[in-house]
Amino acid sequence: MTSYSVEVEFDSTISDDTAADLVDALNDVHGAVGAASSGNLSVILSIEASNVPDATAHAINRAQEAVTSVTHSPTLVTGVATMTEAEFDRRLADEPTPGDLAGQAEACNILGVSARTLEKLAGELAPHIVQTLATGPLYRASGLRNLARLHPLPPLEQALLNVISAKHAPSLSADPHYQRAEAALVLDETPFGTRTLFRTSDTQVRHALAALLERELVAPAPETNETLTGSPDLSSAVVLTARGHRHSRPLPTQSS
């Protein structure tokens, strides 16, 4: 014999007092009483049986008998779900905790992308969706963090981000990505303080900086109207966003 967990859903609701009576009536099968996603009455029973069909049939009969005894009226079963107790425990353990849930804004922060880019990643994100709400998907945050580790920023984008975050401290790295990022860096004193200004005709730096703006890891400095378009001698003042701070790393040393 195998232990099965069987959930039986009915087309009705009951009061709290009646629910307490129903739990007592189902004591021999460890009955649990609650509400299904539809809001209707749901009863979960622990049934010993040799197979799924037998467990399902026994649970339906036992649940209907108990519900009728406490409501004194016939009820209609609208659904049933049967699985072994072992599978029920496995699924229960796999349920995400509230702290492991992420909405769209949290997903963007974890992955370091904009909302527009998040939409483009729908295929990769699908396995990490816990539930889809009217406001959009709800993700398992731990899955998104694993995804972020598998898809780090391209080296030049990461170098630019780190250089901006370092507040103009020079890198001692011989890494060509850092050398290229720092070669484009110009410190610009304004009434608002020192801003990070990139002035370069280096196409790769321009594309990397544009990608950081698209990901919303950096933003145009508020005191400037300069953009990524214009003369070949690109001039763009940027500031690190809160998301950019979370994705920046310490500058490497000469030995690294």
Side-chain angles (χ1 to χ4, degrees):
M1 301 288 280
T2 302
S3 295
Y4 290 91
S5 176
V6 186
E7 180 178 10
V8 183
E9 182 179 343
F10 294 87
D11 69 341
S12 58
T13 59
I14 57 175
S15 67
D16 291 342
D17 289 340
T18 304
D21 292 338
L22 182 56
V23 170
D24 290 338
L26 294 170
N27 183 62
D28 61 310
V29 286
H30 309 290
V33 178
S37 57
S38 63
N40 288 337
L41 172 63
S42 171
V43 176
I44 299 179
L45 313 177
S46 181
I47 301 294
E48 295 289 329
S50 57
N51 53 55
V52 169
D54 286 351
T56 302
H58 184 188
I60 291 174
N61 289 336
R62 186 69 186 80
Q64 282 186 310
E65 176 187 80
V67 171
T68 300
S69 71
V70 298
T71 62
H72 308 293
S73 62
T75 56
L76 176 66
V77 172
T78 58
V80 61
T82 304
M83 66 189 76
T84 64
E85 292 280 5
E87 175 62 13
F88 178 80
D89 291 341
R90 186 194 69 77
R91 294 190 185 188
L92 191 63
D94 196 44
E95 284 293 314
T97 61
D100 192 35
L101 297 177
Q104 184 182 63
E106 292 81 6
C108 288
N109 285 333
I110 292 171
L111 296 172
V113 300
S114 65
R116 189 191 318 173
T117 302
L118 192 71
E119 292 179 1
K120 298 177 183 178
L121 298 174
E124 290 186 73
L125 299 178
H128 307 292
I129 294 177
V130 175
Q131 186 177 3
T132 300
L133 307 176
T135 54
L138 196 61
Y139 303 96
R140 188 186 297 274
S142 56
L144 297 185
R145 284 190 285 270
N146 290 334
L147 188 63
R149 283 192 286 270
L150 293 174
H151 298 280
L153 290 176
L156 183 54
E157 290 180 34
Q158 188 67 64
L160 284 168
L161 199 64
N162 297 350
V163 165
I164 299 170
S165 177
K167 300 185 184 302
H168 322 303
S171 168
L172 301 178
S173 175
D175 187 314
H177 299 297
Y178 282 89
Q179 293 181 349
R180 173 171 268 164
E182 291 179 334
L185 179 66
V186 178
L187 303 187
D188 189 32
E189 296 295 336
T190 76
F192 301 90
T194 303
R195 66 179 180 176
T196 304
L197 181 66
F198 288 96
R199 181 172 290 120
T200 181
S201 58
D202 188 325
T203 302
Q204 291 190 40
V205 170
R206 295 173 66 176
H207 288 169
L209 195 56
L212 291 178
L213 283 162
E214 166 66 22
R215 294 173 185 267
E216 297 180 3
L217 297 174
V218 299
E223 68 273 14
T224 181
N225 292 321
E226 293 168 305
T227 67
L228 286 172
T229 60
S231 67
D233 185 21
L234 170 71
S235 182
S236 179
V238 297
V239 293
L240 212 60
T241 63
R243 185 182 301 160
H245 277 291
R246 285 191 290 272
H247 286 268
S248 63
R249 304 289 183 269
L251 290 178
T253 62
Q254 182 70 46
S255 60
S256 61

